[in-house]
Amino acid sequence: FHGESGAAPPLTPPGAQLSLHWLLGAARGLQVLHDRGLAHGDLRASRVLIFAGPMGSTQGRLAFGAAGGDEAWPEARGDSQGGDARMPCLPHKALPYLDSLRLMGARPSRASDLFAFGVVLLEAMLGQSAQHDGAGGEDAVVQTRGPRPLPLWMMFQKAVAEARRPGLSGSPSNAGDSAAEAFVMIGGCAQSEDADTSTTWAEPVVRDCAGLAAELITAPMGDSRASAPAASQPTIAEVVERLHAAIAAQREAEEEWRRLAAERAAAPPRQRLCVVCMDSQTDACLRPCRHAAICQDCASLCVGRGEGCPICRRKIEGYDIGQFLRTFAA
């Protein structure tokens, strides 16, 4: 979504619904591999390629890269079938997408693919790189001096654990709520009242997708030679199903935002009352300051008493009568 570390970011964020569609395309590609007993082995944001689709749309596709050449990894099934279980040589920019077992040298698996997909999902929601170091360049992790910043997945793990701590006042009532709270704790934005339908993630979608990311990232990885995801980790088929549901929920929320915006635009302007008597409608524009904040009766009284404008205190030389929708100055 954001290119490799150090690359120029996109001019505009893709938005929630478009990001979800791209993720869905990548998840479908991953599902094809997993259904055949294969692991991708090098899943990260730069492996989600964007292609032009029909009617000006775009589609996300899953690409292959450095892990094991241009082919997917067969999963390890024991010494007699899995072959050499050592981790292949991967670029440093792949490290933030590896779970603890992969970092210790375990062979790629469907479970590690799902872990990496959870990291990519977090990147899409946050609009930030999993590198989280800001140094840029392929060797940014090596070149960093001093304490290295935590990778995105570890920050999220810690935030989820904090949100789930018992005994906290106002503790979230379920896993989805605690994951959504953790998402905000690491820099995610909650839905605002004046939502921008092009970029804002709807609150139910944030809760569901953050919960999905938590299940993918915080699930115990189990035995490094396991041929299937851990029992608590969703399968890729379940991920595809939940992304479909998230797209539908996001579409429904955006339609509701547009409906409310249209209602606000069509609503008659609110009546403004005189700031002096607080009773009559504002219908006088004072000269020369051009403030329109009082009614014509109070304007006449102010002129007769030699009083200044109640807004700027400038001497009133006269006033115009009319329907003024807002206070303004020339």
Side-chain angles (χ1 to χ4, degrees):
F1 299 94
H2 48 69
E4 297 292 0
S5 177
L11 295 178
T12 56
Q17 191 161 175
L18 191 55
S19 294
L20 286 168
H21 275 288
W22 293 347
L23 287 165
L24 178 61
R28 285 171 172 166
L30 195 60
Q31 186 176 17
V32 171
L33 293 178
H34 286 194
D35 288 347
R36 288 159 176 77
L38 300 174
H40 187 283
D42 188 23
L43 180 58
R44 41 194 159 110
S46 60
R47 298 292 181 241
V48 182
L49 305 184
I50 311 303
F51 291 84
M55 305 296 292
S57 63
T58 56
Q59 299 175 347
R61 307 277 181 85
L62 190 61
F64 300 96
D70 292 330
E71 298 181 359
W73 277 88
E75 285 198 292
R77 304 181 188 280
D79 291 337
S80 61
Q81 295 179 338
D84 186 1
R86 290 176 300 175
M87 184 177 70
C89 181
L90 290 172
H92 294 294
K93 55 195 172 186
L95 297 181
Y97 301 89
L98 303 184
D99 60 59
S100 56
L101 293 178
R102 289 292 310 279
L103 290 172
M104 291 188 294
R107 191 178 177 87
S109 66
R110 282 177 284 177
S112 65
D113 280 351
L114 290 168
F115 179 96
F117 191 88
V119 177
V120 174
L121 174 58
L122 271 182
E123 286 184 286
M125 296 177 68
L126 289 168
Q128 72 181 45
S129 169
Q131 300 278 358
H132 206 73
D133 53 27
E138 186 164 332
D139 296 326
V141 176
V142 175
Q143 294 172 356
T144 301
R145 295 187 178 183
R148 296 176 182 173
L150 294 177
L152 183 60
W153 66 265
M154 193 173 293
M155 291 174 55
F156 187 59
Q157 276 190 345
K158 289 182 176 292
V160 169
E162 180 69 20
R164 291 176 178 174
R165 279 178 54 193
L168 292 178
S169 176
S171 181
S173 58
N174 55 56
D177 289 339
S178 63
E181 182 177 316
F183 171 73
V184 174
M185 289 168 64
I186 64 172
C189 295
Q191 175 184 330
S192 62
E193 183 177 350
D194 299 325
D196 180 357
T197 59
S198 64
T199 59
T200 301
W201 291 67
E203 184 176 353
V205 178
V206 168
R207 184 172 59 251
D208 295 343
C209 288
L212 175 59
E215 293 172 31
L216 293 171
I217 293 174
T218 63
M221 306 304 335
D223 188 350
S224 64
R225 293 185 178 275
S227 60
S232 58
Q233 193 179 36
T235 65
I236 189 60
E238 293 171 337
V239 170
V240 169
E241 182 179 351
R242 290 168 72 170
L243 287 176
H244 272 296
I247 290 173
Q250 181 68 28
R251 184 184 301 114
E252 181 179 347
E254 291 181 6
E255 290 173 354
E256 178 67 11
W257 293 337
R258 284 190 286 267
R259 185 188 67 80
L260 294 175
E263 287 183 356
R264 288 194 295 266
R270 64 182 180 88
Q271 300 297 318
R272 292 180 55 254
L273 298 180
C274 172
V275 299
V276 175
C277 66
M278 300 298 293
D279 183 42
S280 300
Q281 181 181 340
T282 298
D283 59 1
C285 179
L286 306 181
R287 298 194 305 266
C289 66
R290 307 302 296 173
H291 281 123
I294 62 178
C295 64
Q296 56 180 308
D297 292 336
C298 290
S300 178
L301 290 175
C302 288
V303 171
R305 296 171 182 171
E307 298 176 355
C309 168
I311 302 299
C312 64
R313 314 309 302 174
R314 189 172 180 179
K315 182 180 179 181
I316 302 174
E317 297 178 359
Y319 57 90
D320 299 320
I321 305 300
Q323 298 295 322
F324 301 100
L325 302 182
R326 62 185 178 87
T327 300
F328 66 95

